[in-house]
Amino acid sequence: MGGMPVNDMPWWRWRSNVRSALHMISDPVFQREVWQGGRPGYGDVTDAVYRLVEDTWLDNWSADKYVGTIFRDAQEAALVDVAVLRVLKILHQVGADAPATAYLEHAGWPDAVRAARDAHVLMARADGEDPDIPPRSLEVLAIYTRSA
């Protein structure tokens, strides 16, 4: 596909974390089975939100800032911005320590899921991956990001 080399650190690790968060937020089946079901190994919804913004500070500025590094182009950045804004708005309304159901039953959650899905699909395809595989566990994600 072109774009940045896969092992370009730290951007590649940051991209993997952002992609992981978007993947989880975009997958309602995963959310029911894992987040609501309390299955260990994947973190909770708050962890996913933090993974989206902790390294990137996307809660403070636009993903546009990272075009050519974390994000391949303006389209990716724009879709990520929409997803981040929708997710953070819900986080601020339900509170950082809210249970999964507070997010999943929030009126804005379906819009956040759709926005995350749009960004996830574009980024996964750009990286040559199938967007419809289930999200990786955090352990696998850690191995994946370390092995660069």
Side-chain angles (χ1 to χ4, degrees), residues 4 6 8-22 51-58 61 65-66 69-71 123 141 145:
M4 65 194 142
V6 152
D8 183 12
M9 297 300 254
W11 305 119
W12 180 73
R13 176 177 289 149
W14 291 13
R15 182 178 177 89
S16 297
N17 282 333
V18 168
R19 276 193 47 197
S20 162
L22 289 168
R51 205 154 56 253
L52 204 51
V53 300
E54 68 187 342
D55 291 327
T56 57
W57 290 44
L58 290 176
W61 50 58
K65 187 180 171 83
Y66 299 112
T69 52
I70 301 174
F71 305 111
M123 292 180 77
L141 180 68
T145 53

Side-chain angles (χ1 to χ4, degrees), residues 105-133:
E105 292 171 1
H106 188 282
W109 190 248
D111 286 337
V113 168
R114 265 195 303 278
R117 173 77 185 167
D118 290 344
H120 161 65
V121 167
L122 189 68
M123 292 180 77
R125 288 194 178 137
D127 291 347
E129 292 186 25
D130 176 1
D132 295 318
I133 58 168

